[in-house]
Amino acid sequence: MSSTKSPLVSICILCYNHEKYVSRAIESCLNQTYENIEIIIVDNNSSDGSVRIIEEYNKKYERINFFKLEENIFPAGGLNFLVNKANGEYISLVSSDDYYELSKIELQLEYMLASNYTNSFTWANIVDDNSNAMPEHPFNNLFNRGLDDKSLKEFFISSGNMLCAASVMLHKSILKKYGLFDHRLLQLQDYELWLRIIKNEPINILQNKLTNYCVRNDGKNLSLAKGNEVVLRSNFEQMYMMKHILEFELELLSHVTGNICTEENKYKNLIDYYIKQDNYVYANGVLSSLYEKLGSDFKFPSSVYKDFFTIYSKYDFLGINIIQERDRQIQERDRQI
């Protein structure tokens, strides 16, 4: 980490059809109390008036560097594009429907420099389109938890992500060390990177509400969107995340599942734990990881293979019973007709 007192911070803004919000995001960055910043904006092939608004700011302010993409490369691709354009020692990433408190960069950087952190997140205000606070929204409780590294890992195991992506600040070295966002993912690309980091070093949370997360009136937040496509994508990607969870410390897995975990039985213990929660998505992810392990390294006799065979023969991961019941109801209806 640099000993420079005022390192350059790259504020990276990703925009897609945010004409209603992008000015608010840009203004919150331009007016930061910390001065040594550059602002990089990427428009991910918007079809609304976002580009026109950004171009007006780009002409007026030298510290803004604007890139307009001719094809939408999805959020992960857009974030990676921003990171690769950043010159700063520190990188702050935000979607242009969210925005910062004016002291966000200054206080978060001080927090990181004081302890030589390579990563940090902040707490967040939950707001609507008009910047009005939404104190009853469940994200207030999700994003604003006082969790240490161990407790955060436990939450990841039991419940999934709770970090506000718009609040992140990273030292550039951490992205060189662990890689960029996985461009194959659309819903959980941020969470997947946080898991890669936390497997190797602590994630740090500054318990100040310095980020404003907008719950949009049109319901088009990627993290809040509903519908079959979103559910299917989220479930598939969450299954993929379990390979990272399985690399957490055995002591931690034991604590969460309530059973002593070894390298051999941790798969079964986690699957049993998730089945008791009726969380078949997570359980299926663990089973898929176990399948991959068996394909590369096991010998008979194998207790791990025995567990695998028993589990995938026993649990209805794919909803076969549901399908059979639906077919039975259809047949019964047809007979009545």
Side-chain angles (χ1 to χ4, degrees):
M1 300 271 287
S2 172
S3 60
T4 304
K5 292 184 179 180
S6 300
L8 178 64
V9 177
S10 298
I11 302 178
C12 299
I13 305 175
L14 182 62
C15 178
Y16 176 65
N17 286 345
H18 289 165
E19 65 177 352
K20 187 175 181 179
Y21 311 97
V22 67
S23 289
R24 181 175 65 179
I26 294 173
E27 292 285 348
S28 79
C29 297
L30 285 170
N31 294 313
Q32 286 294 305
T33 57
Y34 186 80
E35 294 183 355
N36 193 18
I37 62 172
E38 65 172 1
I39 300 172
I40 304 172
I41 307 174
V42 165
D43 181 81
N44 211 349
N45 195 229
S46 292
S47 58
D48 63 1
S50 297
V51 169
R52 174 184 55 78
I53 295 170
I54 299 169
E55 285 178 338
E56 291 177 359
Y57 280 99
N58 190 41
K59 292 175 184 176
K60 188 175 180 180
Y61 297 97
E62 291 184 0
R63 63 171 61 184
I64 293 178
N65 197 3
F66 175 45
F67 299 90
K68 182 176 67 172
L69 301 182
E70 298 302 323
E71 183 175 348
N72 188 297
I73 58 175
F74 299 104
L79 291 169
N80 290 340
F81 186 97
L82 283 161
V83 169
N84 286 326
K85 294 295 182 182
N87 299 301
E89 185 177 352
Y90 292 83
I91 298 174
S92 188
L93 298 165
V94 64
S95 173
S96 59
D97 50 354
D98 302 320
Y99 63 103
Y100 292 155
E101 292 294 300
L102 300 188
S103 60
K104 195 260 191 188
I105 299 299
E106 179 181 3
L107 295 180
Q108 192 169 10
L109 184 61
E110 285 180 357
Y111 172 71
M112 294 181 69
L113 290 173
S115 299
N116 209 35
Y117 291 148
T118 60
N119 70 81
S120 71
F121 295 77
T122 77
W123 282 3
N125 300 300
I126 312 303
V127 300
D128 64 15
D129 282 9
N130 299 314
S131 302
N132 298 312
M134 303 176 68
E136 302 304 318
H137 195 280
F139 271 12
N140 284 285
N141 183 52
L142 181 68
F143 289 156
N144 302 320
R145 294 170 178 258
L147 301 181
D148 59 17
D149 186 63
K150 179 176 179 292
S151 299
L152 181 55
K153 285 182 179 178
E154 290 176 355
F155 193 93
F156 284 172
I157 296 169
S158 63
S159 305
N161 190 24
M162 53 70 60
L163 296 170
C164 179
S167 76
V168 69
M169 183 183 286
L170 302 170
H171 190 269
K172 204 165 188 178
S173 64
I174 203 170
L175 294 166
K176 292 180 179 178
K177 187 174 182 180
Y178 301 117
L180 302 181
F181 295 92
D182 187 336
H183 64 272
R184 297 167 296 181
L185 304 176
L186 181 57
Q187 301 294 140
L188 305 177
Q189 69 281 346
D190 53 345
Y191 181 38
E192 195 273 337
L193 179 56
W194 314 155
L195 285 170
R196 269 186 274 150
I197 293 171
I198 204 170
K199 288 188 301 184
N200 298 283
E201 59 185 272
I203 278 179
N204 311 287
I205 303 175
L206 174 56
Q207 296 180 25
N208 287 7
K209 293 183 178 181
L210 300 176
T211 305
N212 295 288
Y213 179 89
C214 179
V215 176
R216 293 166 52 175
N217 293 348
D218 61 11
K220 291 186 178 180
N221 294 82
L222 190 60
S223 56
L224 289 171
K226 298 178 181 179
N228 288 340
E229 290 184 357
V230 175
V231 172
L232 290 171
R233 285 198 304 263
S234 296
N235 286 349
F236 176 84
E237 292 181 13
Q238 185 62 65
M239 288 170 52
Y240 178 74
M241 301 301 137
M242 302 317 294
K243 72 175 187 178
H244 297 303
I245 297 295
L246 283 159
E247 294 180 9
F248 284 179
E249 301 92 330
L250 293 174
E251 181 180 356
L252 190 66
L253 296 177
S254 300
H255 176 73
V256 174
T257 63
N259 291 292
I260 297 175
C261 290
T262 65
E263 285 298 327
E264 288 72 31
N265 71 11
K266 64 182 180 181
Y267 301 90
K268 181 179 184 303
N269 284 348
L270 271 172
I271 289 173
D272 288 344
Y273 170 74
Y274 291 130
I275 291 297
K276 288 177 182 178
Q277 294 183 326
D278 291 325
N279 191 339
Y280 282 81
V281 172
Y282 285 25
N284 206 358
V286 177
L287 184 65
S288 297
S289 295
L290 177 54
Y291 175 81
E292 291 296 325
K293 174 181 173 59
L294 290 173
S296 60
D297 181 27
F298 84 100
K299 297 179 181 179
F300 286 110
S302 170
S303 61
V304 178
Y305 182 80
K306 182 179 179 181
D307 287 340
F308 172 76
F309 187 80
T310 301
I311 290 165
Y312 91 80
S313 302
K314 178 179 179 181
Y315 293 116
D316 188 17
F317 287 105
L318 300 179
I320 301 301
N321 292 336
I322 296 173
I323 295 172
Q324 290 176 344
E325 175 61 21
R326 182 198 63 190
D327 291 344
R328 186 196 65 77
Q329 292 176 358
I330 292 173
Q331 292 172 0
E332 179 64 25
R333 182 200 63 193
D334 291 345
R335 282 197 295 270
Q336 292 176 357
I337 294 174

